[in-house]
Each structure stands twice: as C-alpha cells, then as structure tokens.
Amino acid sequence: GAVVSQHPSRVICKSGTSVKIECRSLDFQATTMFWYRQFPKQSLMLMATSNEGSKATYEQGVEKDKFLINHASLTLSTLTVTSAHPEDSSFYICSASKGPLPYEQYFGPGTRLTVT
Amino acid sequence: AQTVTQSQPEMSVQEAETVTLSCTYDTSESDYYLFWYKQPPSRQMILVIRQEAYKQQNATENRFSVNFQKAAKSFSLKISDSQLGDAAMYFCAYPPPGANSKLTFGKGITLSVRP
C-alpha cells in the first residue's frame, strides 16, 4: 500500500495566529513530498516541493516566509501557515512520491483551514 | 510551456452507461507518463489509471480505460458501466520533464451520474 495521512483534517484559527499541518507517509519512505492548495471546484495548485533534509522549493508567487515547510524525515513533512489571514482559508493537500516509478504521487486526505 | 487541457467543465452520464472524459496536453518529450486522478466528494485524491507514453497499448483498470493518441497528444478516460460512486471530479495530470516528480494538473471535470 501507499497511505498518506494528514493532521488535522480541519482547523479553525484566529487571524494572526500560526497553524501547523502534518503530512505522514505511513507505510513507505517518501523521497519527495508536495504541498498543494485547492479552492472549491478548482484544480490543485502546487505550492512547494520538499525533499528530506533539504530546503523546500517554492512555486512562483508562493511566499516562503508565510508557508513554512519542514521535511524532517522520510515520512514526515509539515506546513506551517504563519500569521494566518482569512484569505489563507483553503483546502491544503499533501502528497508523497516513493519511487521507483517516477512522478506517481500518493495523496493525503487534505486539511480544511478556516481563518476567522 | 507544458500544459494540460480539460475543456469540459462538467459531464453527466446515466448509471450503467459509458462516458468519455477528454484531456489534451502539450509536450516536446517522447517518453513520459500520464495520469488520471479522481477526487470524490470526500476530496481524497485517488489514482485511477496511468499510461506510459512509450507503450502503444492503452492502459486498462477494470471499468476504466484510456484512449491514448500520442500524435494528437490526447489522453481520454473512458468509464464503462458507470456507477453512482464514479461521481467525482476527474483530473488529468502530466509530469513536466525534469521537474522532480511534479505534476501539472488540468482544471478538472465534474462528473455526475444519474440513477
């Protein structure tokens, strides 16, 4: 199998606070993990790519100081939304790639963030 | 630029019937992979089917099959014997070359299944 979990599934936070979302590959070691943002009825927008032990690569237009990504181990990546504002409210999805097949990604169930 | 186009935002199919979802892509590569992902109302992304460009045979997974036309850069998904559980958003995805396993997704198509 290739199971990816995310925690929490839902979170509500107040404007100005920070919130951390965890992404874990439960039964495999992930060479690469990805973080996406998805608005209702829209496609997935890639925010960043992370490899264990190295800095994340952010997509153009994504603020690295606002969306902090830490890939601490081959099974865990975290996304911290710092100083959250209502416009950060969205559905955040992580995925992990294990190889040997390149490009195939296994997705977590997503986290719904609401900033009040 | 490497792009993936899904031009149909919505489709509907009668239960037990067959439906085809369209996808076109743009690439200058000769060997690559293509994917269809399903996102049901739970929003969990599920890999439906994968096609390797160098393989001439169209991929098949149970009721799901692809019509891969490499020259036309077309990669459509056919769902046979549609079931209520097939109702979901479907995304076509393509990994840009040298992109460290990144995927480029199409805009998606919302499929509804009529009982």
Side-chain angles (χ1 to χ4, degrees):
Chain A
V3 181
V4 177
S5 70
Q6 270 184 252
H7 178 79
S9 57
R10 289 175 177 265
V11 59
I12 301 173
C13 70
K14 292 188 176 181
S15 187
T17 63
S18 296
V19 61
K20 180 184 287 187
I21 302 169
E22 289 188 351
C23 176
R24 294 181 184 270
S25 55
L26 298 184
D27 52 1
F28 66 98
Q29 291 187 324
T31 55
T32 308
M33 286 184 166
F34 305 85
W35 286 96
Y36 295 87
R37 185 173 181 176
Q38 186 182 31
F39 292 104
K41 296 193 180 297
Q42 294 190 22
S43 189
L44 280 68
M45 181 188 78
L46 180 65
M47 300 174 66
T49 303
S50 74
N51 294 288
E52 183 262 343
S54 61
K55 288 185 177 180
T57 302
Y58 290 81
E59 294 299 300
Q60 192 173 7
V62 178
E63 299 176 61
K64 61 179 68 177
D65 293 332
K66 179 166 190 63
F67 298 100
L68 299 179
I69 291 171
N70 184 5
H71 197 152
S73 74
L74 283 171
T75 60
L76 173 64
S77 178
T78 60
L79 167 68
T80 301
V81 182
T82 62
S83 186
H85 289 95
E87 57 265 30
D88 299 324
S89 298
S90 190
F91 193 68
Y92 292 89
I93 304 174
C94 76
S95 71
S97 178
K98 65 173 179 175
L101 183 67
Y103 313 122
E104 184 163 338
Q105 296 182 21
Y106 300 91
F107 287 82
T111 297
R112 178 172 300 285
L113 169 63
T114 303
V115 184
T116 60
Chain B
Q2 317 291 339
T3 60
V4 180
T5 303
Q6 293 179 256
S7 57
Q8 308 154 303
E10 296 179 351
M11 286 196 75
S12 179
V13 63
Q14 188 74 39
E15 194 175 7
E17 298 293 309
T18 296
V19 64
T20 299
L21 311 182
S22 301
C23 173
T24 58
Y25 59 95
D26 183 26
T27 184
S28 55
E29 300 296 306
S30 60
D31 191 19
Y32 46 88
Y33 293 85
L34 293 160
F35 303 92
W36 276 98
Y37 280 91
K38 169 185 178 180
Q39 189 179 41
S42 68
R43 303 191 77 170
Q44 170 73 60
M45 293 284 285
I46 302 165
L47 177 65
V48 175
I49 202 164
R50 172 180 60 241
Q51 175 75 45
E52 298 175 63
Y54 72 91
K55 288 187 176 180
Q56 295 184 341
Q57 187 172 8
N58 289 325
T60 299
E61 289 287 343
N62 300 313
R63 297 183 295 107
F64 298 87
S65 62
V66 302
N67 182 4
F68 175 50
Q69 303 289 329
K70 191 173 183 179
K73 296 179 183 176
S74 170
F75 179 58
S76 59
L77 175 69
K78 186 172 83 171
I79 306 174
S80 303
D81 186 25
S82 298
Q83 300 176 1
L84 295 178
D86 295 333
M89 277 198 84
Y90 287 82
F91 295 96
C92 176
Y94 163 75
N100 191 27
S101 297
K102 288 199 308 187
L103 288 175
T104 297
F105 286 89
K107 289 186 176 181
I109 178 170
T110 300
L111 176 67
S112 58
V113 181
R114 305 185 303 274

